[in-house]
Amino acid sequence: MEISSLTKLFLIFIFLSSFQLCKASGEVINPFTKLRFDGKNGEFRILQVADMHYGDGKTTPCKNVLPQQMSSCSDLNTTDFIFRLINAEKPHLIVFTGDNIFGFDATDPVKSMEAAFAPAISSNIPWAAVLGNHDQQSTLSREGVMKHIVGMKSTLSQLNPPDVPDIDGFGNYNLEVHGIEGSELTNKSVLNLYFLDSGDYSTVPSIPGYGWIKPSQQFWFQRTSRKLKKTYMHTSNAMKAPAPGLA
Ligand SMILES: *[C@@H]1O[C@H](CO)[C@@H](O)[C@H](O)[C@H]1NC(C)=O
Ligand SMILES: *[C@@H]1O[C@H](CO)[C@@H](O)[C@H](O)[C@H]1NC(C)=O
């Protein structure tokens, strides 16, 4: 991991809901079946974690730390840091936005993933992940890495939309965040989250560098967004405006 850029890499988004229309009913809801804004304070907190670059754990040293810190710094410090963030922020959802593992350092990518996502899993907080350019550089393909992730405990990650078999990439999906339990918006998505795989590297020789989001993904995003807007604005108890989206 790269200690020097931790503050840049770890962003905490706190969404203050303007949808607090009534108090929560006090009913316990299962966050794994439905994400929703918190009835206590109207918030939905997302902890975004990028570029953990997890390798082999204790034996993988840190990058960009002071020379005197090298001998005592490893992937375990990343784990420790994420636990501290979780305890401090108590997120409703954790989103891992790529380079979760660093394939070149990961002898066993499955083991690296287990360790990388362990703080979310052991905290019993729903989580979602997309891939970076480094996740598949070990023994698993990009598809293999994403397939493993979707089978892990407490994740809401998906491989791809089931109705679009030929979409580019692995890890294109969306999640709906519903209104406060017991409010008028309890059955409606008031925040739409979109996860898109921007690939690893360009496969077009005349364009060097990283990959990008392809038209197949753009069409899926536009179609999904239109569908959600229609569902929630043209039904009984219609929402007056479309819900914000975050990609
Ligand atoms: C990494 O963790 C070890 C063990 O807790 C600690 O001694 C060390 O100071 C940490 N290093 C950094 C750079 O945070
Ligand atoms: C939400 O859906 C449930 C289950 O279908 C229903 O009982 C309830 O009345 C709905 N609430 C609102 C505000 O639409």
Side-chain angles (χ1 to χ4, degrees):
M1 73 165 180
E2 313 204 3
I3 287 274
S4 68
S5 45
L6 282 179
T7 46
K8 206 174 71 200
L9 300 177
F10 291 80
L11 304 168
I12 297 156
F13 293 110
I14 298 177
F15 294 97
L16 291 172
S17 167
S18 55
F19 304 106
Q20 197 168 8
L21 300 174
C22 334
K23 284 269 169 275
S25 63
E27 197 185 310
V28 178
I29 53 139
N30 181 355
F32 299 103
T33 52
K34 198 156 277 182
L35 297 172
R36 61 167 76 253
F37 277 77
D38 193 330
K40 284 199 284 291
N41 50 15
E43 291 183 357
F44 185 76
R45 291 183 299 279
I46 301 176
L47 174 65
Q48 184 187 353
V49 179
D51 295 271
M52 286 187 289
H53 282 206
Y54 219 95
D56 283 348
K58 200 168 59 183
T59 55
T60 301
C62 296
K63 257 192 190 166
N64 306 335
V65 291
L66 296 170
Q68 64 268 30
Q69 294 177 314
M70 272 306 279
S71 63
S72 62
C73 191
S74 74
D75 283 340
L76 301 190
N77 292 67
T78 306
T79 303
D80 188 58
F81 180 60
I82 293 169
F83 269 121
R84 292 207 306 275
L85 285 176
I86 291 173
N87 288 334
E89 298 300 333
K90 310 236 176 332
H92 299 97
L93 174 70
I94 304 176
V95 176
F96 295 93
T97 49
D99 286 357
N100 310 307
I101 64 169
F102 189 71
F104 293 134
D105 281 346
T107 315
D108 178 348
V110 166
K111 262 188 158 164
S112 298
M113 282 188 269
E114 307 286 338
F117 301 122
I121 293 172
S122 68
S123 305
N124 213 26
I125 295 170
W127 59 279
V130 287
L131 305 181
N133 57 314
H134 290 304
D135 288 273
Q136 86 277 23
Q137 287 162 337
S138 180
T139 54
L140 280 178
S141 65
R142 196 170 183 78
E143 182 179 11
V145 169
M146 202 60 214
K147 274 190 167 154
H148 181 76
I149 289 175
V150 303
M152 292 178 79
K153 202 169 157 262
S154 62
T155 192
L156 300 171
S157 309
Q158 291 158 39
L159 186 61
N160 270 328
D163 55 334
V164 195
D166 51 359
I167 196 164
D168 287 271
F170 302 99
N172 299 289
Y173 55 100
N174 68 298
L175 295 175
E176 300 178 18
V177 185
H178 284 231
I180 293 172
E181 181 76 41
S183 76
E184 253 179 64
L185 297 168
T186 189
N187 296 332
K188 304 205 193 300
S189 179
V190 293
L191 176 66
N192 297 318
L193 305 176
Y194 295 92
F195 299 81
L196 293 152
D197 179 12
S198 57
D200 52 352
Y201 297 100
S202 168
T203 52
V204 180
S206 58
I207 309 173
Y210 296 119
W212 55 84
I213 289 167
K214 307 282 167 38
S216 66
Q217 298 167 281
Q218 187 192 339
F219 292 141
W220 165 76
F221 163 71
Q222 288 171 322
R223 206 168 50 243
T224 308
S225 163
R226 266 200 308 272
K227 200 169 73 189
L228 287 172
K229 191 169 156 187
K230 205 168 145 208
T231 309
Y232 295 123
M233 290 182 69
H234 299 270
T235 48
S236 66
N237 221 341
M239 278 163 72
K240 287 169 196 70
L246 195 69

